[in-house]
Amino acid sequence: MGGISYTSDGIAESVVVSGGYKDDEDFGDRIIYTGHGGQDAPGGRQIIDQKMERGNKALANSQLNRTPVRLIRGSGGDPKFSPKSGYRYEGLYQVTGHWFETSRDGPLVIRFELIQIAGPPPIGNSSEEDDGIPAGQSNPKRRASSGLSIVRDPKVASWIKKTYSSTCQNCRIVLSTPAGLYSVGAHIRALGTPHNGKDVVENVLSLCPNCHVLFDYGAIYIEADCKTVVTVDGGGRKELLTSPKHVIDEESVAYHRLHIAGNHM
Amino acid sequence: MGGISYTSDGIAESVVVSGGYKDDEDFGDRIIYTGHGGQDAPGGRQIIDQKMERGNKALANSQLNRTPVRLIRGSGGDPKFSPKSGYRYEGLYQVTGHWFETSRDGPLVIRFELIQIAGPPPIGNSSEEDDGIPAGQSNPKRRASSGLSIVRDPKVASWIKKTYSSTCQNCRIVLSTPAGLYSVGAHIRALGTPHNGKDVVENVLSLCPNCHVLFDYGAIYIEADCKTVVTVDGGGRKELLTSPKHVIDEESVAYHRLHIAGNHM
């Protein structure tokens, strides 16, 4: 028993933490979990890059679609949180991030951040193949939530949106609503752990929410010239909308390319 | 002194709460604030619908773009929180929601929810016309955040996304990322206060993030037939993508049309 299990639809169901990857880090309610693939033998040396496929893709999809996964700890894991023998179901976790990292052996591995969900809703029994309409909730409950959020400087995003008149620098759409124009001030190298990007205009793009999702999930990246956008699937290339007033930080773009899109170039 | 002040760019700067609208509700760190316009005299009878224009649009824009506004309380407001005389600067608030409501006199008013921001970043002096590049933050700080969040049934959104293969029911886009396809399971009548929609598939659409913004800000709405999407600005009409498996709740659609798009029909 080990690793990531997922349905035939590619939905992650459970994750086992049992010490198979030396880089896993267990903090109890927060886990940094290494994806699978690319080792010469289970628990062995990393010889090729991990890819966004199979269980890795299923876990990333849980992040994208905000579906919780079951966590199982095995006795091989961190003794502080793991059972003395066998395996134990530990409740539901949310995948809150994933990124590529250079492993000790060289090739890229994919790391996932999992955060425990307080008072989780029951997931139901996955063995019953359930294609019926879910009952849902007529009166959905609330729960207290807390955490750390990054204090952004509102002037940074405002300046970016104004500089590009809220136009998406990738697809050029301008979203118009009765409340005004809208674009996201999207950080190239993300703020906060583990990426620690800067909240400065050189690290921010004006993107529509759709292109923001594509960018944050590595479906598109920017080349070293800071003006060509590449679509990973199919390799389409397109000119980034730029402004002479706005210098884009080359290092942030390189960081995104490596750690988010998993691209060495 | 009173009401909503905003820049020539249409950005809200400050809001004065001083008892001018009988429907204002002050809970200290949370305020339900009534927009302006449509009265026969200041503080008088509501004779026509309030419109998403001037200060109202500026406040809605603060919500859309997440820019904080200064709150000023005057002595005419709720005595529990207001100064005994004159006006007092009360710190920064975030606009977290807005909706249309039928006033006691009949016509629609726009109501805004304002939530106090803990440990707010300084906004700077607005009198200096500042078009320079903001300094931003190389090492952005974190702050503890807490609140109540709605516990959604993950099966509801999953069912919707699966039923439409993650296709946007408005624009038909399918967002494809290395982590899989993505669409939002968007509630027609929003969950939680003040809308209290149900977390059931009849109240959820599959939308791309862009159309989700358009829908939540009332740039588009659905007609009573539950299959025609109307663009408010320009009045374009388009067929909603539907599925025989998915019944859309007519009352939720009517609620959205009235309270979010401000449309009586």
Side-chain angles (χ1 to χ4, degrees):
Chain A
M1 186 177 195
I4 307 157
S5 78
Y6 53 100
T7 66
S8 54
D9 292 338
I11 309 295
E13 292 207 302
S14 63
V15 163
V16 179
V17 180
S18 60
Y21 277 86
K22 298 284 171 291
D23 292 327
D24 286 355
E25 297 171 63
D26 195 336
F27 304 100
D29 56 1
R30 176 171 172 265
I31 293 169
I32 306 297
Y33 187 80
T34 309
H36 59 198
Q39 293 179 320
D40 55 359
R45 233 164 48 91
Q46 196 71 33
I47 51 171
I48 54 168
D49 290 348
Q50 290 187 351
K51 291 190 176 54
M52 191 51 81
E53 59 185 18
R54 301 181 293 128
N56 298 340
K57 181 165 177 170
L59 267 191
N61 192 270
S62 296
Q63 181 196 344
L64 184 68
N65 285 305
R66 298 200 186 96
T67 46
V69 295
R70 293 180 176 85
L71 187 86
I72 292 153
R73 283 196 176 91
S75 55
D78 189 324
K80 199 166 166 189
F81 303 107
S82 304
K84 292 204 173 112
S85 65
Y87 293 91
R88 191 172 64 202
Y89 172 59
E90 301 278 85
L92 294 178
Y93 279 63
Q94 192 79 52
V95 184
T96 53
H98 76 268
W99 59 93
F100 289 84
E101 244 176 57
T102 307
S103 62
R104 299 173 199 189
D105 299 323
L108 295 179
V109 293
I110 307 177
R111 308 197 77 194
F112 296 91
E113 183 186 59
L114 308 171
I115 303 272
Q116 189 166 27
I117 302 173
I123 253 192
N125 188 346
S126 66
S127 63
E128 34 168 302
E129 257 312 316
D130 184 4
D131 271 344
I133 297 180
Q137 313 168 91
S138 291
N139 193 7
K141 293 192 181 60
R142 283 138 217 262
R143 67 162 170 254
S145 61
S146 64
L148 282 178
S149 61
I150 307 284
V151 181
R152 292 159 193 232
D153 181 350
K155 281 187 176 170
V156 169
S158 296
W159 186 88
I160 289 287
K161 291 173 196 181
K162 194 170 177 182
T163 297
Y164 293 100
S165 306
S166 294
T167 309
C168 175
Q169 289 182 253
N170 185 42
C171 76
R172 272 75 168 171
I173 204 172
V174 180
L175 280 189
S176 175
T177 84
L181 306 180
Y182 181 65
S183 70
V184 181
H187 289 85
I188 300 168
R189 176 173 180 162
L191 304 183
T193 310
H195 306 299
N196 301 316
K198 296 179 182 180
D199 186 28
V200 296
V201 300
E202 292 81 0
N203 185 35
V204 178
L205 300 173
S206 168
L207 294 178
C208 72
N210 284 1
C211 291
H212 190 208
V213 169
L214 297 179
F215 190 77
D216 276 3
Y217 281 83
I220 56 177
Y221 64 81
I222 301 173
E223 290 199 332
D225 63 3
C226 291
K227 55 188 185 190
T228 308
V229 184
V230 177
T231 299
V232 170
D233 184 16
R237 296 158 64 85
K238 168 177 208 167
E239 203 184 333
L240 187 72
L241 180 66
T242 53
S243 160
K245 290 201 290 179
H246 181 215
V247 176
I248 295 172
D249 180 47
E250 220 176 292
E251 282 183 35
S252 296
V253 161
Y255 184 95
H256 173 271
R257 210 159 50 232
L258 177 63
H259 294 279
I260 305 304
N263 188 307
H264 289 284
M265 302 306 291
Chain B
M1 187 177 193
I4 307 158
S5 78
Y6 54 100
T7 67
S8 54
D9 291 338
I11 310 295
E13 292 207 303
S14 63
V15 163
V16 179
V17 180
S18 61
Y21 276 87
K22 298 284 170 292
D23 291 327
D24 286 353
E25 296 172 62
D26 196 336
F27 305 101
D29 57 0
R30 177 171 171 266
I31 293 169
I32 306 296
Y33 187 81
T34 309
H36 59 198
Q39 293 179 321
D40 55 359
R45 232 164 51 90
Q46 196 70 34
I47 50 171
I48 53 168
D49 290 348
Q50 290 187 349
K51 290 189 178 53
M52 191 51 79
E53 59 185 17
R54 300 181 293 126
N56 298 339
K57 181 166 176 170
L59 268 191
N61 192 270
S62 296
Q63 180 195 344
L64 184 66
N65 284 305
R66 296 197 188 96
T67 46
V69 295
R70 294 180 176 84
L71 186 85
I72 291 154
R73 283 197 176 90
S75 56
D78 188 322
K80 200 166 165 190
F81 303 107
S82 304
K84 290 203 172 113
S85 65
Y87 292 92
R88 191 171 64 202
Y89 172 57
E90 301 279 84
L92 295 178
Y93 279 63
Q94 191 78 55
V95 183
T96 53
H98 76 268
W99 59 92
F100 290 84
E101 245 176 57
T102 308
S103 62
R104 298 171 198 190
D105 298 324
L108 294 180
V109 292
I110 307 178
R111 307 198 77 194
F112 296 91
E113 183 185 59
L114 307 171
I115 304 271
Q116 189 165 26
I117 301 174
I123 252 191
N125 187 345
S126 66
S127 62
E128 33 169 300
E129 256 312 317
D130 183 5
D131 270 343
I133 297 180
Q137 312 169 92
S138 291
N139 193 6
K141 294 193 181 59
R142 283 137 216 263
R143 66 163 170 255
S145 61
S146 63
L148 282 178
S149 60
I150 306 285
V151 181
R152 293 159 191 231
D153 181 350
K155 281 186 175 171
V156 170
S158 296
W159 187 88
I160 289 286
K161 291 172 195 182
K162 194 170 176 180
T163 298
Y164 293 99
S165 307
S166 295
T167 309
C168 175
Q169 289 182 254
N170 184 42
C171 75
R172 271 72 168 173
I173 203 172
V174 180
L175 280 189
S176 175
T177 85
L181 306 180
Y182 181 65
S183 69
V184 181
H187 289 86
I188 300 168
R189 176 173 179 162
L191 304 183
T193 312
H195 307 299
N196 300 316
K198 296 178 182 180
D199 187 28
V200 296
V201 300
E202 293 81 0
N203 185 34
V204 178
L205 300 173
S206 169
L207 294 178
C208 72
N210 284 1
C211 290
H212 190 207
V213 169
L214 297 179
F215 190 77
D216 276 3
Y217 281 83
I220 55 176
Y221 64 80
I222 301 172
E223 291 198 330
D225 63 3
C226 291
K227 55 188 185 189
T228 308
V229 183
V230 177
T231 300
V232 170
D233 183 17
R237 295 159 64 86
K238 167 174 208 168
E239 203 184 333
L240 186 72
L241 180 67
T242 54
S243 160
K245 290 201 291 182
H246 180 215
V247 177
I248 294 172
D249 180 49
E250 220 175 293
E251 282 183 34
S252 295
V253 161
Y255 184 95
H256 172 270
R257 212 159 50 231
L258 176 62
H259 293 280
I260 305 304
N263 189 307
H264 289 286
M265 302 306 291

